[in-house]
């Protein structure tokens, strides 16, 4: 892509091509040695920015190969992220990722349903607030052990109580912990009967 063509010039050329060929690897070739323009085009999707007269054929060929390879890698990463997001959101179990203080960093819609809260109400707030008091001590024990499982009662703001089976794994990423929640209230009630 040359930024100066007969029918367009400058950044508008890049923006138009990028918009209509979003799946393409774009390598910008320009006579402009404008560092800000180079940074902007790369930030917004160009794989590289070369200045005419400052490179040889080998550098151009290498830039083209890297551009194609980076695009393939980005596409694979995007596909992987889409798959993981679909599994995360499609899970029938509640999935919560929290920090060391129990602040929710991410939660799926099933967790929101189990805790009678929206995603926005969960993220940024303490998960510990949703559980009854005995959970706090047990949660500290689970964190110390690194993983574990327990049954804990939660109570919604409307007063509905649910018994949740909670599987827990610490440090899935540094300082981030995973809790998988499953409603076992009906099973518990049947056992009591």
């Amino acid at each position: 892509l040359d930024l100066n063509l007969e029918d367009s010039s400058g950044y508008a050329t890049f923006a138009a091509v990028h918009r209509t060929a979003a799946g393409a690897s774009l390598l910008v070739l320009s006579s402009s040695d404008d560092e800000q323009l180079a940074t902007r085009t790369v930030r917004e999707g160009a794989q590289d920015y070369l200045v005419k007269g400052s490179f040889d054929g080998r550098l151009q060929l290498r830039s083209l190969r890297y551009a194609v390879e980076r695009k393939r890698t980005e596409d694979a990463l995007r596909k992987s992220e889409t798959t993981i997001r679909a599994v995360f959101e499609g899970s029938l179990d509640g999935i919560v990722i929290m920090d060391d203080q129990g602040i929710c960093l991410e939660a799926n819609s099933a967790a929101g349903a189990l805790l009678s809260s929206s995603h926005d109400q969960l993220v940024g707030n303490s998960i510990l607030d949703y559980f009854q008091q005995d959970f706090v001590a047990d949660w500290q024990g689970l964190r110390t052990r690194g993983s574990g499982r327990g049954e804990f009662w939660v109570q919604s703001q409307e007063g509905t109580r649910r018994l949740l089976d909670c599987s827990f794994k610490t440090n899935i990423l540094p300082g981030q912990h995973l809790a998988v929640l499953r409603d076992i209230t009906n099973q518990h009630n049947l056992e009591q009967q």
Side-chain angles (χ1 to χ4, degrees):
L1 170 65
D2 190 322
L3 286 186
N4 293 309
L5 301 175
E6 290 180 16
D7 57 347
S8 69
S9 64
Y11 179 77
T13 303
F14 166 73
V17 172
H18 187 45
R19 206 173 26 256
T20 56
S25 299
L26 296 179
L27 177 68
V28 175
L29 175 61
S30 177
S31 58
S32 171
D33 194 7
D34 182 342
E35 188 67 31
Q36 288 181 332
L37 180 60
T39 301
R40 181 178 181 194
T41 56
V42 170
R43 240 187 228 137
E44 295 185 17
Q47 297 297 321
D48 205 347
Y49 185 101
L50 298 175
V51 178
K52 290 179 184 177
S54 67
F55 62 90
D56 61 11
R58 286 188 344 215
L59 176 61
Q60 184 178 8
L61 182 59
R62 187 171 62 218
S63 291
L64 288 167
R65 282 189 190 129
Y66 288 169
V68 170
E69 199 53 44
R70 272 195 304 273
K71 187 66 176 170
R72 285 183 185 151
T73 302
E74 288 171 3
D75 290 345
L77 179 61
R78 200 171 1 270
K79 183 178 178 183
S80 176
E81 287 172 347
T82 301
T83 300
I84 290 170
R85 176 55 64 183
V87 169
F88 183 77
E89 280 303 322
S91 174
L92 299 176
D93 291 333
I95 301 173
V96 177
I97 299 171
M98 65 188 98
D99 68 10
D100 290 330
Q101 288 72 43
I103 302 297
C104 178
L105 303 172
E106 188 60 73
N108 66 356
S109 54
L114 289 172
L115 300 173
S116 302
S117 291
S118 69
H119 178 268
D120 291 341
Q121 291 170 322
L122 288 173
V123 174
N125 292 305
S126 176
I127 291 299
L128 306 179
D129 295 342
Y130 291 89
F131 291 86
Q132 294 185 340
Q133 291 301 324
D134 60 336
F135 178 73
V136 176
D138 289 334
W139 184 70
Q140 294 299 339
L142 289 171
R143 277 194 52 217
T144 302
R145 288 192 304 276
S147 66
R149 186 179 206 146
E151 295 177 0
F152 306 100
W153 287 98
V154 294
Q155 187 164 343
S156 70
Q157 294 174 342
E158 298 81 34
T160 306
R161 282 174 32 107
R162 290 185 177 152
L163 182 62
L164 300 183
D165 176 72
C166 176
S167 299
F168 190 79
K169 176 76 175 141
T170 61
N171 294 314
I172 57 167
L173 293 171
Q176 295 185 18
H177 316 295
L178 173 71
V180 178
L181 311 171
R182 179 174 289 166
D183 188 347
I184 59 170
T185 309
N186 290 340
Q187 176 185 338
H188 173 75
N189 291 342
L190 287 172
E191 289 172 0
Q192 293 300 310
Q193 291 175 10

